[in-house]
Amino acid sequence: MVRMVDVASHAGVSIKTVSRVLNNEPHVQDSLREKVYASVEKLGYVPSASARSLRSNRTYTFHLISPVIVGNYINTVQAGAISASQKHGYNLLVTPLEVEVLDDSKALNVWCRELIEKKKPDGVILVPPLSDNLRLNEIFNEAGVPISRIGPNKIDDVNNASIIIDDRASAKEATQELIALGHKRIGFVRGIESQGATQERYYGYCDALENAGISIDPTIVKPGVFSFESGMNAGLELLSLNNRPTAIFAANDDMATGVIVSAYRTGIAVPDELSVMGFDDSELAEKIWPALSTIRQPVVDFGKSAVEHLVNRAGKSSMKRPDKQSLTEILDYKIILRGSTAQVPQV
Amino acid sequence: MVRMVDVASHAGVSIKTVSRVLNNEPHVQDSLREKVYASVEKLGYVPSASARSLRSNRTYTFHLISPVIVGNYINTVQAGAISASQKHGYNLLVTPLEVEVLDDSKALNVWCRELIEKKKPDGVILVPPLSDNLRLNEIFNEAGVPISRIGPNKIDDVNNASIIIDDRASAKEATQELIALGHKRIGFVRGIESQGATQERYYGYCDALENAGISIDPTIVKPGVFSFESGMNAGLELLSLNNRPTAIFAANDDMATGVIVSAYRTGIAVPDELSVMGFDDSELAEKIWPALSTIRQPVVDFGKSAVEHLVNRAGKSSMKRPDKQSLTEILDYKIILRGSTAQVPQV
DNA sequence: ATGAAAGCGCTAACAC
DNA sequence: GTGTTAGCGCTTTCAT
């Protein structure tokens, strides 16, 4: 095994200089820097993560925390977070947080303390619905653990990063696509009420209708919980109305898929008799029939940005110089039109 | 911070005794053991992972290696592996292995060496198609890194664990369900040829046909690569035949979903005119219309078992005594019948 | 069966 | 701007 002393003697400098170079610290001559890098390369030196951690009290590990750890959204965030973490010399650990713990303030406290003491994360990434959990944010803040929040409702946090898209604008634009196809009676399926996206997407839907001079009819706005089943139930209700909508916009793809299945079950053809719009562009969207029109979120970039904010906050990272970024990052969305939306049926 | 010395003095023993107790080493009186545990509890002592790693040269980390890191199968394995790892005091890291690297023997070598040197995994979990990669198995074996293989083709490895289901028997049983519904002309869509499951599932299909006295018709056996698109293409081909099958069995759910979409595109009704059977019981299966009949694999348990084999191989683990297990573990499958299969249409 | 002491490889604190 | 030294918290080695 090659140690730091070996690199130092090979490069003809002190061990501390090697340490300085590898940690991107200032006060080292460029000539020495290069010598050190050359020796590192030549000897195939790999720093010992455990020695470094022991001494510096950092673990070079971020935790992606989520109640649900299997699903297109969370695993796509994870993929982005993993590759960005690797790039910056960090590990990414996925840590499930049971919903029962989440609902019990005391248990949540214990859970977080354990995580912080045992795993000593250098940063945590929170996804919905955790991003807006005040208690969670408080605990990590108090413990000095940097947070990156993905898709939070309130982005007024002065300490921690928020990675979002403009839910309202995107939902407005998607609704306008439906209006452009001639739809006037457009239903909406909401998501979990405690999640910011639910309200924002609904507002966007309202914005588009108002702009087009269409009044909002609360009887064709149904609740949902972002699940396939809740979408199917909402669809069944909407499609059984006397004056049923000609288009339904669901606040995520799982629910939109449920709406499509509800149409099959009631014998209503999609898109001939009913247009359906989703939100997310999940794996499902292209695999169902008809393929789902939806809004694509840059979910891989959510994970990537979350990690990069943490890396910057962590300060000096090995081998990489940090660059400054603002705390709130608004990423781009894209409307994807597929087979589930079409011209309004002729009456 | 509570250190081991603190526990030692509180318990009135030497630091080494504490270490022995926490590592489940022999040669400690039971009375002392209990004293130590009591002190650990009382002081809320948490061992320092980095100090332990530095000295013992172990990382308490397993790596789940896969070319694809977003997908129902891999992420479900991951979920099982994470919870089992946590339970035994290990971390689980998901590590992507690019396909280009996999195809280049030299690059693969470098990649593995880097992983082994930099991350020092205490064990690795290989999923298809890596489970059968000889080079990969060799390298880790030589480096003394324990391997758990999920769904390998060859289970004759004497060193490492293999976690499987009986692909052949399950495919046979699923095909028999189709035969029981009156189907005699049953198409088959194969998977990636280098993956053992492809051949085994095909053999199971053949077994069932032969048992029922139905001859195997190679014109209705189509290639595929386990992807939605390949399933759709195979479906389009099969459904354009003059003497088209009344049922199609695809070697996984993604392809079966593609077959269903191909039926929509050619105006053939599922299940009235065509039955479709998948394999995996993935997330998709319940969300498409009609819902997919399929074979459920205990994928969470794949991850769990893989980790438990590694823990046992790692020998002494903190706080937990290992138990002996055989190297090959055959888990149970289950046929799930849903809406995509029905009685053969009357001619 | 138990303990004392050495030292894993690195970075922080301080000297120059 | 660079080097020297101490010591992070644990496990290993060796002594008892």
Side-chain angles (χ1 to χ4, degrees):
Chain A
M1 150 160 282
V2 183
R3 273 139 46 258
M4 199 179 258
V5 272
D6 304 324
V7 176
S9 66
H10 184 270
V13 298
S14 82
I15 173 175
K16 180 61 217 181
T17 300
V18 178
S19 174
R20 282 208 177 89
V21 171
L22 294 183
N23 288 292
N24 257 321
E25 286 173 38
H27 310 308
V28 183
Q29 281 192 355
D30 283 359
S31 61
L32 289 187
R33 276 214 137 77
E34 276 162 36
K35 267 192 193 168
V36 169
Y37 279 130
S39 299
V40 164
E41 187 81 5
K42 183 144 190 188
L43 299 178
Y45 168 68
V46 179
S48 155
S50 40
R52 176 181 267 183
S53 295
L54 176 59
R55 193 58 198 152
S56 66
N57 215 26
R58 295 169 60 193
T59 54
Y60 298 89
T61 300
F62 299 134
H63 283 241
L64 173 60
I65 304 178
S66 173
V68 182
I69 64 165
V70 180
N72 195 260
Y73 181 87
I74 179 69
N75 292 308
T76 308
V77 169
Q78 172 190 334
I82 287 176
S83 81
S85 296
Q86 280 197 340
K87 191 171 127 196
H88 294 285
Y90 284 77
N91 293 323
L92 187 97
L93 244 33
V94 177
T95 304
L97 200 184
E98 328 256 320
V99 262
E100 303 90 66
V101 174
L102 190 58
D103 292 340
D104 176 350
S105 166
K106 191 165 178 180
L108 185 61
N109 235 305
V110 172
W111 188 90
C112 288
R113 294 250 146 269
E114 273 216 11
L115 176 72
I116 294 166
E117 284 202 7
K118 286 198 180 157
K119 303 295 184 175
K120 300 197 204 310
D122 284 350
V124 295
I125 301 172
L126 303 180
V127 296
L130 306 184
S131 344
D132 282 311
N133 187 300
L134 282 174
R135 196 81 206 84
L136 213 50
N137 277 271
E138 241 176 65
I139 298 172
F140 287 119
N141 275 332
E142 276 171 23
V145 179
I147 306 175
S148 273
R149 303 137 86 218
I150 292 178
N153 190 1
K154 301 178 203 99
I155 56 168
D156 51 358
D157 194 311
V158 286
N159 298 309
N160 299 306
S162 299
I163 324 286
I164 55 170
I165 63 162
D166 192 334
D167 277 289
R168 184 164 182 167
S170 63
K172 177 180 176 187
E173 213 175 292
T175 308
Q176 284 172 331
E177 292 287 354
L178 292 171
I179 294 170
L181 288 167
H183 295 278
K184 289 192 163 49
R185 194 151 174 77
I186 303 172
F188 189 83
V189 186
R190 300 174 65 94
I192 294 174
E193 291 304 329
S194 61
Q195 267 171 255
T198 295
Q199 195 64 6
E200 289 296 308
R201 291 173 193 174
Y202 176 67
Y203 284 152
Y205 157 83
C206 294
D207 290 346
L209 293 187
E210 277 168 16
N211 265 16
I214 303 170
S215 64
I216 290 145
D217 179 355
T219 61
I220 56 172
V221 175
K222 294 289 176 189
V225 294
F226 286 134
S227 72
F228 171 80
E229 285 74 18
S230 69
M232 189 170 67
N233 292 334
L236 290 173
E237 284 186 43
L238 286 169
L239 297 178
S240 68
L241 293 174
N242 284 330
N243 186 15
R244 71 167 195 245
T246 62
I248 297 176
F249 181 13
N252 81 346
D253 280 359
D254 273 5
M255 295 197 295
T257 304
V259 169
I260 289 181
V261 167
S262 77
Y264 279 116
R265 289 180 48 170
T266 45
I268 292 168
V270 178
D272 293 348
E273 299 173 88
L274 177 75
S275 286
V276 178
M277 174 77 71
F279 201 115
D280 278 350
D281 196 26
S282 74
E283 190 198 2
L284 278 168
E286 279 196 294
K287 295 185 177 170
I288 59 171
W289 183 266
L292 190 61
S293 294
T294 187
I295 295 145
R296 176 179 298 163
Q297 304 194 66
V299 187
V300 170
D301 294 330
F302 285 179
K304 183 165 164 275
S305 288
V307 163
E308 276 165 0
H309 278 278
L310 293 178
V311 170
N312 288 347
R313 284 258 265 133
K316 52 190 175 180
S317 85
S318 182
M319 329 267 167
K320 197 80 191 176
R321 204 176 304 270
D323 33 275
K324 185 131 184 150
Q325 276 179 272
S326 125
L327 277 174
T328 298
E329 200 154 341
I330 304 176
L331 303 179
D332 287 335
Y333 58 86
K334 190 176 173 195
I335 313 286
I336 310 282
L337 294 178
R338 299 201 181 89
S340 69
T341 47
Q343 289 282 133
V344 68
Q346 304 302 324
V347 194
Chain B
M1 149 161 283
V2 182
R3 269 136 51 255
M4 200 179 256
V5 273
D6 303 324
V7 176
S9 66
H10 184 270
V13 298
S14 84
I15 173 175
K16 179 60 221 181
T17 301
V18 178
S19 174
R20 283 207 178 89
V21 171
L22 294 184
N23 288 292
N24 256 321
E25 287 174 37
H27 310 307
V28 183
Q29 283 191 356
D30 283 359
S31 62
L32 288 188
R33 276 214 139 74
E34 276 163 38
K35 267 193 195 169
V36 169
Y37 279 130
S39 299
V40 164
E41 187 80 6
K42 182 143 189 188
L43 300 179
Y45 169 67
V46 179
S48 154
S50 41
R52 175 180 268 182
S53 296
L54 175 59
R55 197 64 181 101
S56 66
N57 216 25
R58 295 169 60 192
T59 54
Y60 298 89
T61 299
F62 299 135
H63 283 242
L64 173 61
I65 305 178
S66 173
V68 181
I69 64 165
V70 181
N72 195 259
Y73 181 87
I74 178 67
N75 292 309
T76 308
V77 169
Q78 172 190 334
I82 287 176
S83 81
S85 296
Q86 280 198 341
K87 192 172 127 197
H88 293 286
Y90 283 77
N91 293 324
L92 187 97
L93 243 34
V94 177
T95 304
L97 200 185
E98 328 256 319
V99 263
E100 303 90 67
V101 174
L102 190 58
D103 293 340
D104 176 350
S105 166
K106 190 165 178 181
L108 185 61
N109 235 305
V110 172
W111 188 90
C112 288
R113 294 250 145 272
E114 273 217 9
L115 176 72
I116 293 165
E117 284 202 9
K118 285 197 181 160
K119 303 294 184 175
K120 300 196 204 307
D122 285 349
V124 296
I125 301 172
L126 302 180
V127 295
L130 306 185
S131 344
D132 282 311
N133 187 299
L134 282 174
R135 197 79 206 84
L136 213 50
N137 276 270
E138 242 175 66
I139 298 172
F140 286 120
N141 275 333
E142 275 171 23
V145 179
I147 305 176
S148 273
R149 301 137 87 221
I150 292 177
N153 190 2
K154 302 179 204 98
I155 57 169
D156 51 359
D157 194 311
V158 287
N159 298 309
N160 299 306
S162 298
I163 325 284
I164 54 169
I165 62 163
D166 191 334
D167 277 289
R168 184 165 182 166
S170 62
K172 178 180 176 187
E173 213 175 291
T175 309
Q176 284 172 330
E177 292 286 354
L178 293 171
I179 294 170
L181 288 168
H183 294 278
K184 290 192 162 49
R185 194 152 174 76
I186 302 172
F188 188 83
V189 186
R190 299 174 65 92
I192 295 174
E193 291 304 329
S194 60
Q195 267 170 256
T198 294
Q199 195 65 4
E200 289 296 307
R201 291 173 193 174
Y202 175 68
Y203 283 154
Y205 157 84
C206 294
D207 290 347
L209 293 186
E210 278 168 15
N211 264 16
I214 303 170
S215 64
I216 289 145
D217 179 355
T219 61
I220 55 172
V221 175
K222 294 290 176 189
V225 293
F226 286 135
S227 72
F228 171 82
E229 285 73 19
S230 69
M232 189 169 68
N233 292 334
L236 290 172
E237 285 186 42
L238 287 169
L239 296 179
S240 68
L241 293 173
N242 284 330
N243 187 14
R244 70 166 196 244
T246 62
I248 297 176
F249 180 13
N252 81 346
D253 280 359
D254 272 6
M255 294 197 297
T257 305
V259 169
I260 289 182
V261 166
S262 77
Y264 279 116
R265 289 179 48 170
T266 47
I268 292 168
V270 178
D272 293 347
E273 299 173 88
L274 177 75
S275 286
V276 179
M277 175 77 72
F279 201 115
D280 278 350
D281 195 26
S282 75
E283 189 199 3
L284 278 167
E286 280 197 295
K287 295 185 178 170
I288 58 170
W289 183 265
L292 190 61
S293 295
T294 187
I295 295 145
R296 176 179 298 164
Q297 305 195 65
V299 188
V300 170
D301 295 330
F302 286 178
K304 183 166 165 273
S305 288
V307 163
E308 277 165 0
H309 278 278
L310 293 179
V311 170
N312 288 348
R313 285 257 265 133
K316 54 187 177 183
S317 84
S318 184
M319 328 267 169
K320 196 80 192 177
R321 206 175 303 269
D323 32 276
K324 186 132 182 149
Q325 275 179 272
S326 128
L327 276 175
T328 298
E329 201 154 341
I330 304 176
L331 303 180
D332 288 335
Y333 58 86
K334 190 177 174 194
I335 313 286
I336 310 281
L337 295 178
R338 299 201 181 89
S340 69
T341 48
Q343 290 283 133
V344 69
Q346 304 302 323
V347 194

